[in-house]
Amino acid sequence: VSTQSTWELKSQQKQQQHQTSDLQHELEAARQQLKQVNDLQNELQHTKQQLSKSNDHQSQLESELSKTNNEFNQTKQQLKEKAEIEQELTSAKQQLQKITELQAELALAKQQLAQSNDLQVEQTNTKKQKTKTTKHKKK
């Protein structure tokens, strides 16, 4: 009985050692999995921080883009206004050129009128002179 009991005890002891060994392996596997979970959680947290920074940077870029667009639109408006002013200036220069040409024509016309008046005065004086000469001869 005792030999059988010893054999059973040894068998039970071996079985328990196997079970203990199996449990130790499972425990080690569970620890490894827990470590992997912790590593993944840390990686997830780090990724969330990077995403947050990326979102902040994107917001900053969008803000700068909006500012640049506003400046571009202002510049475009200023260029449009400049073009309109240049067009008005060109038109004013053309009108001024036309006025200068008309003034030159007017000056020429005045000169011709003055010459014509001088000629008429001269012709009138000549007629008067002839008339006086004719009257003197008749007497």
Side-chain angles (χ1 to χ4, degrees):
V1 175
S2 69
T3 306
Q4 189 179 1
S5 290
T6 304
W7 182 82
E8 285 178 6
L9 283 174
K10 283 186 178 181
S11 175
Q12 278 182 343
Q13 192 177 18
K14 278 187 179 180
Q15 194 177 3
Q16 285 175 347
Q17 284 175 344
H18 284 303
Q19 287 176 343
T20 301
S21 178
D22 289 346
L23 287 173
Q24 284 176 337
H25 287 306
E26 284 182 37
L27 179 60
E28 187 56 32
R31 283 183 181 149
Q32 288 297 323
Q33 287 178 340
L34 184 59
K35 185 182 181 310
Q36 287 176 346
V37 167
N38 284 336
D39 289 348
L40 287 173
Q41 285 176 332
N42 288 339
E43 193 177 334
L44 177 62
Q45 188 60 35
H46 181 68
T47 303
K48 283 181 179 178
Q49 289 171 348
Q50 287 180 322
L51 180 60
S52 178
K53 284 180 186 177
S54 178
N55 285 341
D56 290 346
H57 187 62
Q58 183 178 352
S59 294
Q60 184 182 355
L61 289 176
E62 286 173 353
S63 174
E64 290 173 12
L65 178 62
S66 176
K67 184 179 173 185
T68 302
N69 278 339
N70 288 340
E71 290 172 359
F72 172 75
N73 287 334
Q74 279 182 329
T75 302
K76 202 163 103 175
Q77 181 62 31
Q78 289 169 347
L79 286 174
K80 183 180 175 188
E81 290 170 5
K82 181 184 175 204
E84 289 171 359
I85 290 170
E86 286 174 346
Q87 194 173 1
E88 288 177 24
L89 182 61
T90 300
S91 176
K93 283 180 181 177
Q94 289 171 346
Q95 290 173 351
L96 187 60
Q97 177 65 30
K98 187 94 169 170
I99 289 170
T100 304
E101 290 170 6
L102 288 173
Q103 286 175 333
E105 287 180 31
L106 180 61
L108 184 61
K110 283 181 178 178
Q111 187 181 9
Q112 289 173 344
L113 181 61
Q115 287 174 351
S116 176
N117 285 342
D118 289 347
L119 192 61
Q120 284 180 351
V121 167
E122 203 176 301
Q123 286 175 349
T124 303
N125 286 342
T126 304
K127 281 183 183 177
K128 283 182 182 176
Q129 197 65 35
K130 282 184 181 177
T131 307
K132 282 183 182 176
T133 305
T134 307
K135 283 183 180 176
H136 281 296
K137 285 181 181 176
K138 286 182 181 178
K139 289 183 183 178

